[in-house]
Short mmCIF file of all heavy atoms in Angstrom, two decimals:
data_model
loop_
_atom_site.label_atom_id
_atom_site.label_comp_id
_atom_site.label_asym_id
_atom_site.label_seq_id
_atom_site.Cartn_x
_atom_site.Cartn_y
_atom_site.Cartn_z
N ALA O 1 -31.00 -34.95 77.28
CA ALA O 1 -32.00 -35.98 76.98
C ALA O 1 -31.88 -37.14 77.96
O ALA O 1 -32.90 -37.71 78.40
CB ALA O 1 -31.80 -36.48 75.54
N SER O 2 -30.64 -37.47 78.36
CA SER O 2 -30.42 -38.56 79.32
C SER O 2 -31.00 -38.21 80.69
O SER O 2 -31.52 -39.07 81.40
CB SER O 2 -28.92 -38.85 79.46
OG SER O 2 -28.39 -39.35 78.24
N ASP O 3 -30.90 -36.92 81.06
CA ASP O 3 -31.48 -36.48 82.33
C ASP O 3 -33.00 -36.69 82.33
O ASP O 3 -33.58 -37.09 83.34
CB ASP O 3 -31.17 -35.00 82.57
CG ASP O 3 -29.69 -34.76 82.86
OD1 ASP O 3 -29.00 -35.71 83.27
OD2 ASP O 3 -29.23 -33.61 82.68
N ILE O 4 -33.62 -36.39 81.18
CA ILE O 4 -35.07 -36.60 81.07
C ILE O 4 -35.40 -38.08 81.14
O ILE O 4 -36.34 -38.50 81.84
CB ILE O 4 -35.60 -35.99 79.74
CG1 ILE O 4 -35.42 -34.46 79.76
CG2 ILE O 4 -37.07 -36.35 79.54
CD1 ILE O 4 -35.74 -33.79 78.43
N ILE O 5 -34.61 -38.92 80.46
CA ILE O 5 -34.84 -40.37 80.47
C ILE O 5 -34.67 -40.91 81.89
O ILE O 5 -35.45 -41.75 82.35
CB ILE O 5 -33.87 -41.08 79.49
CG1 ILE O 5 -34.23 -40.71 78.04
CG2 ILE O 5 -33.93 -42.59 79.68
CD1 ILE O 5 -33.18 -41.12 77.03
N ALA O 6 -33.66 -40.41 82.63
CA ALA O 6 -33.43 -40.86 84.02
C ALA O 6 -34.66 -40.55 84.87
O ALA O 6 -35.06 -41.36 85.72
CB ALA O 6 -32.19 -40.17 84.59
N GLU O 7 -35.26 -39.39 84.63
CA GLU O 7 -36.46 -39.03 85.39
C GLU O 7 -37.64 -39.92 85.01
O GLU O 7 -38.43 -40.31 85.87
CB GLU O 7 -36.80 -37.56 85.17
CG GLU O 7 -37.86 -37.05 86.13
CD GLU O 7 -38.01 -35.55 86.10
OE1 GLU O 7 -37.28 -34.87 86.85
OE2 GLU O 7 -38.85 -35.06 85.32
N TRP O 8 -37.76 -40.24 83.73
CA TRP O 8 -38.84 -41.15 83.31
C TRP O 8 -38.71 -42.50 84.00
O TRP O 8 -39.68 -43.10 84.44
CB TRP O 8 -38.81 -41.34 81.78
CG TRP O 8 -39.30 -40.17 80.99
CD1 TRP O 8 -40.07 -39.16 81.43
CD2 TRP O 8 -39.03 -39.91 79.60
NE1 TRP O 8 -40.32 -38.26 80.42
CE2 TRP O 8 -39.70 -38.70 79.28
CE3 TRP O 8 -38.30 -40.55 78.61
CZ2 TRP O 8 -39.67 -38.14 78.00
CZ3 TRP O 8 -38.25 -40.01 77.33
CH2 TRP O 8 -38.93 -38.81 77.02
N ILE O 9 -37.46 -42.99 84.06
CA ILE O 9 -37.22 -44.29 84.71
C ILE O 9 -37.60 -44.22 86.18
O ILE O 9 -38.23 -45.12 86.73
CB ILE O 9 -35.74 -44.70 84.54
CG1 ILE O 9 -35.44 -44.98 83.05
CG2 ILE O 9 -35.42 -45.94 85.39
CD1 ILE O 9 -33.95 -45.08 82.74
N ASN O 10 -37.23 -43.10 86.81
CA ASN O 10 -37.56 -42.90 88.23
C ASN O 10 -39.07 -42.88 88.45
O ASN O 10 -39.56 -43.32 89.49
CB ASN O 10 -36.94 -41.58 88.70
CG ASN O 10 -37.28 -41.25 90.14
OD1 ASN O 10 -37.06 -42.06 91.04
ND2 ASN O 10 -37.83 -40.07 90.36
N GLU O 11 -39.82 -42.38 87.47
CA GLU O 11 -41.27 -42.26 87.61
C GLU O 11 -42.03 -43.48 87.09
O GLU O 11 -43.26 -43.53 87.17
CB GLU O 11 -41.74 -41.01 86.85
CG GLU O 11 -41.24 -39.72 87.47
CD GLU O 11 -41.46 -38.50 86.58
OE1 GLU O 11 -41.91 -38.70 85.42
OE2 GLU O 11 -41.18 -37.38 87.02
N ASN O 12 -41.29 -44.47 86.60
CA ASN O 12 -41.92 -45.69 86.08
C ASN O 12 -42.54 -46.49 87.24
O ASN O 12 -41.83 -46.96 88.13
CB ASN O 12 -40.86 -46.53 85.35
CG ASN O 12 -41.44 -47.78 84.70
OD1 ASN O 12 -42.02 -48.63 85.37
ND2 ASN O 12 -41.26 -47.87 83.40
N MET O 13 -43.86 -46.64 87.23
CA MET O 13 -44.58 -47.28 88.34
C MET O 13 -44.08 -48.70 88.59
O MET O 13 -43.88 -49.12 89.73
CB MET O 13 -46.08 -47.30 88.05
CG MET O 13 -46.76 -45.96 88.17
SD MET O 13 -47.18 -45.55 89.87
CE MET O 13 -48.48 -46.73 90.20
N TYR O 14 -43.90 -49.47 87.52
CA TYR O 14 -43.49 -50.87 87.66
C TYR O 14 -42.09 -50.95 88.26
O TYR O 14 -41.83 -51.75 89.17
CB TYR O 14 -43.54 -51.58 86.31
CG TYR O 14 -43.06 -53.01 86.38
CD1 TYR O 14 -43.83 -54.00 86.99
CD2 TYR O 14 -41.81 -53.36 85.87
CE1 TYR O 14 -43.37 -55.31 87.08
CE2 TYR O 14 -41.35 -54.66 85.96
CZ TYR O 14 -42.13 -55.63 86.56
OH TYR O 14 -41.67 -56.92 86.65
N VAL O 15 -41.19 -50.13 87.76
CA VAL O 15 -39.81 -50.13 88.27
C VAL O 15 -39.79 -49.76 89.75
O VAL O 15 -39.15 -50.42 90.57
CB VAL O 15 -38.93 -49.17 87.44
CG1 VAL O 15 -37.59 -48.92 88.14
CG2 VAL O 15 -38.70 -49.72 86.05
N ARG O 16 -40.50 -48.69 90.11
CA ARG O 16 -40.51 -48.25 91.52
C ARG O 16 -41.11 -49.31 92.43
O ARG O 16 -40.56 -49.60 93.50
CB ARG O 16 -41.30 -46.95 91.66
CG ARG O 16 -40.60 -45.72 91.13
CD ARG O 16 -41.37 -44.45 91.45
NE ARG O 16 -41.19 -44.03 92.82
CZ ARG O 16 -40.18 -43.30 93.28
NH1 ARG O 16 -39.23 -42.90 92.45
NH2 ARG O 16 -40.10 -42.95 94.54
N LYS O 17 -42.23 -49.89 92.02
CA LYS O 17 -42.88 -50.92 92.86
C LYS O 17 -41.95 -52.11 93.06
O LYS O 17 -41.82 -52.65 94.16
CB LYS O 17 -44.18 -51.38 92.22
CG LYS O 17 -45.38 -50.51 92.55
CD LYS O 17 -46.65 -51.15 92.03
CE LYS O 17 -47.89 -50.36 92.45
NZ LYS O 17 -49.13 -50.99 91.98
N SER O 18 -41.32 -52.54 91.96
CA SER O 18 -40.47 -53.73 92.04
C SER O 18 -39.24 -53.48 92.90
O SER O 18 -38.87 -54.31 93.74
CB SER O 18 -40.04 -54.15 90.62
OG SER O 18 -41.17 -54.44 89.83
N LEU O 19 -38.60 -52.32 92.69
CA LEU O 19 -37.42 -52.01 93.51
C LEU O 19 -37.81 -51.77 94.97
O LEU O 19 -37.06 -52.12 95.88
CB LEU O 19 -36.70 -50.79 92.95
CG LEU O 19 -35.95 -50.99 91.64
CD1 LEU O 19 -35.31 -49.69 91.18
CD2 LEU O 19 -34.88 -52.07 91.78
N ARG O 20 -38.98 -51.20 95.17
CA ARG O 20 -39.45 -50.98 96.55
C ARG O 20 -39.57 -52.33 97.27
O ARG O 20 -39.17 -52.47 98.44
CB ARG O 20 -40.80 -50.28 96.53
CG ARG O 20 -41.34 -49.96 97.92
CD ARG O 20 -42.65 -49.20 97.84
NE ARG O 20 -42.47 -47.83 97.41
CZ ARG O 20 -42.99 -47.31 96.31
NH1 ARG O 20 -43.75 -48.05 95.52
NH2 ARG O 20 -42.77 -46.06 96.00
N ARG O 21 -40.12 -53.32 96.58
CA ARG O 21 -40.23 -54.67 97.18
C ARG O 21 -38.85 -55.25 97.48
O ARG O 21 -38.65 -55.92 98.49
CB ARG O 21 -41.02 -55.60 96.26
CG ARG O 21 -42.53 -55.41 96.34
CD ARG O 21 -43.27 -56.58 95.72
NE ARG O 21 -43.02 -56.70 94.29
CZ ARG O 21 -43.73 -56.12 93.35
NH1 ARG O 21 -44.76 -55.35 93.69
NH2 ARG O 21 -43.44 -56.28 92.08
N LYS O 22 -37.89 -54.99 96.56
CA LYS O 22 -36.53 -55.50 96.79
C LYS O 22 -35.92 -54.86 98.04
O LYS O 22 -35.26 -55.54 98.83
CB LYS O 22 -35.64 -55.21 95.56
CG LYS O 22 -35.93 -56.10 94.36
CD LYS O 22 -34.99 -55.77 93.21
CE LYS O 22 -35.30 -56.60 91.97
NZ LYS O 22 -34.99 -58.04 92.17
N PHE O 23 -36.14 -53.57 98.23
CA PHE O 23 -35.62 -52.90 99.42
C PHE O 23 -36.31 -53.46 100.67
O PHE O 23 -35.68 -53.64 101.71
CB PHE O 23 -35.85 -51.39 99.33
CG PHE O 23 -34.71 -50.64 98.71
CD1 PHE O 23 -34.69 -50.38 97.35
CD2 PHE O 23 -33.64 -50.22 99.47
CE1 PHE O 23 -33.64 -49.70 96.76
CE2 PHE O 23 -32.57 -49.53 98.90
CZ PHE O 23 -32.57 -49.27 97.53
N GLN O 24 -37.61 -53.73 100.57
CA GLN O 24 -38.35 -54.25 101.72
C GLN O 24 -37.91 -55.66 102.08
O GLN O 24 -37.81 -56.01 103.26
CB GLN O 24 -39.86 -54.23 101.42
CG GLN O 24 -40.46 -52.83 101.37
CD GLN O 24 -41.86 -52.81 100.79
OE1 GLN O 24 -42.27 -53.74 100.09
NE2 GLN O 24 -42.61 -51.76 101.06
N ARG O 25 -37.67 -56.49 101.05
CA ARG O 25 -37.36 -57.91 101.29
C ARG O 25 -35.87 -58.21 101.38
O ARG O 25 -35.47 -59.16 102.06
CB ARG O 25 -37.98 -58.76 100.17
CG ARG O 25 -39.50 -58.68 100.13
CD ARG O 25 -40.04 -59.38 98.89
NE ARG O 25 -41.50 -59.26 98.79
CZ ARG O 25 -42.22 -59.69 97.76
NH1 ARG O 25 -41.61 -60.28 96.75
NH2 ARG O 25 -43.52 -59.53 97.74
N SER O 26 -35.06 -57.44 100.67
CA SER O 26 -33.63 -57.75 100.61
C SER O 26 -32.75 -56.62 101.13
O SER O 26 -31.52 -56.77 101.16
CB SER O 26 -33.22 -58.06 99.15
OG SER O 26 -34.07 -59.02 98.58
N GLY O 27 -33.34 -55.50 101.49
CA GLY O 27 -32.55 -54.37 101.96
C GLY O 27 -31.78 -54.71 103.22
O GLY O 27 -32.28 -55.40 104.11
N VAL O 28 -30.56 -54.21 103.30
CA VAL O 28 -29.69 -54.45 104.46
C VAL O 28 -29.28 -53.11 105.04
O VAL O 28 -28.87 -52.20 104.32
CB VAL O 28 -28.43 -55.25 104.06
CG1 VAL O 28 -27.43 -55.31 105.21
CG2 VAL O 28 -28.83 -56.65 103.60
N ILE O 29 -29.43 -52.98 106.36
CA ILE O 29 -28.92 -51.79 107.03
C ILE O 29 -27.53 -52.10 107.55
O ILE O 29 -27.31 -53.09 108.25
CB ILE O 29 -29.86 -51.34 108.18
CG1 ILE O 29 -29.36 -50.02 108.78
CG2 ILE O 29 -30.04 -52.41 109.26
CD1 ILE O 29 -30.38 -49.32 109.67
N SER O 30 -26.56 -51.31 107.12
CA SER O 30 -25.17 -51.55 107.51
C SER O 30 -24.62 -50.30 108.18
O SER O 30 -24.97 -49.17 107.81
CB SER O 30 -24.32 -51.91 106.29
OG SER O 30 -24.48 -50.96 105.26
N THR O 31 -23.76 -50.49 109.17
CA THR O 31 -23.23 -49.37 109.95
C THR O 31 -21.71 -49.38 109.98
O THR O 31 -21.08 -50.44 109.86
CB THR O 31 -23.75 -49.41 111.40
OG1 THR O 31 -23.18 -50.56 112.05
CG2 THR O 31 -25.26 -49.52 111.44
N LYS O 32 -21.13 -48.18 110.13
CA LYS O 32 -19.69 -48.03 110.30
C LYS O 32 -19.45 -46.97 111.37
O LYS O 32 -20.15 -45.96 111.43
CB LYS O 32 -19.02 -47.58 108.99
CG LYS O 32 -19.03 -48.64 107.90
CD LYS O 32 -18.12 -49.82 108.23
CE LYS O 32 -18.16 -50.87 107.11
NZ LYS O 32 -17.39 -52.09 107.51
N VAL O 33 -18.46 -47.20 112.20
CA VAL O 33 -18.15 -46.26 113.26
C VAL O 33 -17.50 -45.00 112.69
O VAL O 33 -16.80 -45.05 111.67
CB VAL O 33 -17.23 -46.91 114.31
CG1 VAL O 33 -15.84 -47.18 113.72
CG2 VAL O 33 -17.12 -46.02 115.55
N VAL O 34 -17.77 -43.86 113.33
CA VAL O 34 -17.07 -42.62 113.00
C VAL O 34 -15.77 -42.65 113.80
O VAL O 34 -15.78 -42.54 115.04
CB VAL O 34 -17.92 -41.39 113.38
CG1 VAL O 34 -17.12 -40.11 113.15
CG2 VAL O 34 -19.21 -41.37 112.56
N LYS O 35 -14.66 -42.86 113.12
CA LYS O 35 -13.38 -43.11 113.79
C LYS O 35 -13.01 -42.01 114.78
O LYS O 35 -12.45 -42.28 115.85
CB LYS O 35 -12.28 -43.29 112.76
CG LYS O 35 -12.42 -44.58 111.95
CD LYS O 35 -11.29 -44.75 110.96
CE LYS O 35 -11.46 -46.05 110.16
NZ LYS O 35 -10.39 -46.22 109.14
N ALA O 36 -13.32 -40.79 114.45
CA ALA O 36 -12.94 -39.67 115.31
C ALA O 36 -13.64 -39.71 116.67
O ALA O 36 -13.16 -39.12 117.64
CB ALA O 36 -13.25 -38.35 114.61
N LYS O 37 -14.77 -40.43 116.75
CA LYS O 37 -15.53 -40.46 118.01
C LYS O 37 -15.53 -41.84 118.66
O LYS O 37 -16.19 -42.04 119.68
CB LYS O 37 -16.98 -40.01 117.75
CG LYS O 37 -17.08 -38.62 117.12
CD LYS O 37 -18.49 -38.08 117.17
CE LYS O 37 -18.86 -37.66 118.55
NZ LYS O 37 -20.14 -36.94 118.64
N LYS O 38 -14.81 -42.77 118.06
CA LYS O 38 -14.82 -44.16 118.51
C LYS O 38 -14.41 -44.33 119.96
O LYS O 38 -14.97 -45.18 120.68
CB LYS O 38 -13.91 -44.99 117.60
CG LYS O 38 -13.90 -46.47 117.92
CD LYS O 38 -13.00 -47.22 116.93
CE LYS O 38 -12.99 -48.71 117.24
NZ LYS O 38 -12.13 -49.46 116.28
N GLU O 39 -13.44 -43.54 120.42
CA GLU O 39 -12.89 -43.73 121.76
C GLU O 39 -13.64 -42.95 122.84
O GLU O 39 -13.30 -43.05 124.01
CB GLU O 39 -11.40 -43.35 121.77
CG GLU O 39 -10.54 -44.13 120.79
CD GLU O 39 -10.66 -45.64 121.01
OE1 GLU O 39 -10.76 -46.07 122.18
OE2 GLU O 39 -10.66 -46.38 120.01
N GLU O 40 -14.61 -42.16 122.44
CA GLU O 40 -15.36 -41.40 123.45
C GLU O 40 -16.11 -42.35 124.38
O GLU O 40 -16.59 -43.40 123.96
CB GLU O 40 -16.35 -40.45 122.76
CG GLU O 40 -15.68 -39.29 122.05
CD GLU O 40 -16.70 -38.28 121.52
OE1 GLU O 40 -17.88 -38.35 121.92
OE2 GLU O 40 -16.32 -37.43 120.70
N GLU O 41 -16.22 -41.94 125.64
CA GLU O 41 -16.84 -42.80 126.66
C GLU O 41 -18.28 -43.18 126.30
O GLU O 41 -18.67 -44.34 126.38
CB GLU O 41 -16.81 -42.09 128.01
CG GLU O 41 -17.35 -42.96 129.15
CD GLU O 41 -17.28 -42.26 130.49
OE1 GLU O 41 -16.56 -41.24 130.60
OE2 GLU O 41 -17.94 -42.72 131.44
N ASN O 42 -19.06 -42.21 125.88
CA ASN O 42 -20.47 -42.48 125.55
C ASN O 42 -20.62 -43.36 124.32
O ASN O 42 -21.68 -43.97 124.11
CB ASN O 42 -21.23 -41.17 125.35
CG ASN O 42 -21.47 -40.45 126.66
OD1 ASN O 42 -21.44 -41.06 127.72
ND2 ASN O 42 -21.68 -39.15 126.59
N ALA O 43 -19.58 -43.41 123.50
CA ALA O 43 -19.66 -44.22 122.28
C ALA O 43 -19.69 -45.71 122.59
O ALA O 43 -20.22 -46.51 121.80
CB ALA O 43 -18.49 -43.90 121.36
N GLN O 44 -19.15 -46.09 123.73
CA GLN O 44 -19.00 -47.51 124.04
C GLN O 44 -20.33 -48.24 124.19
O GLN O 44 -20.43 -49.44 123.95
CB GLN O 44 -18.15 -47.69 125.31
CG GLN O 44 -16.75 -47.14 125.20
CD GLN O 44 -16.05 -47.56 123.91
OE1 GLN O 44 -15.93 -48.76 123.62
NE2 GLN O 44 -15.59 -46.59 123.13
N LYS O 45 -21.38 -47.51 124.57
CA LYS O 45 -22.68 -48.18 124.69
C LYS O 45 -23.24 -48.58 123.33
O LYS O 45 -24.18 -49.39 123.25
CB LYS O 45 -23.68 -47.28 125.43
CG LYS O 45 -23.96 -45.95 124.77
CD LYS O 45 -24.85 -45.08 125.67
CE LYS O 45 -25.06 -43.69 125.07
NZ LYS O 45 -25.85 -42.82 125.95
#
């Protein structure tokens, strides 16, 4: 029943629109290096 409720929440127009605006206005793109490739020459650029 919780799985069905989770899907209803996902399909809620108001919730999706509001969260979409939050991602558009407050979303942050964050990056982290892949340690195994950090020292490669091409990685330095």
Side-chain angles (χ1 to χ4, degrees):
S2 295
D3 290 339
I4 295 172
I5 292 169
E7 191 169 272
W8 286 341
I9 293 167
N10 178 54
E11 293 168 354
N12 183 301
M13 288 277 291
Y14 177 73
V15 167
R16 286 187 78 84
K17 275 188 175 181
S18 301
L19 288 179
R20 182 177 288 118
R21 281 196 295 271
K22 286 181 183 292
F23 269 93
Q24 290 168 339
R25 297 172 183 175
S26 309
V28 171
I29 185 166
S30 52
T31 67
K32 292 291 180 187
V33 68
V34 175
K35 291 182 180 178
K37 303 193 74 171
K38 183 178 180 180
E39 302 305 323
E40 290 186 14
E41 184 179 344
N42 287 338
Q44 299 313 304
K45 60 186 176 183

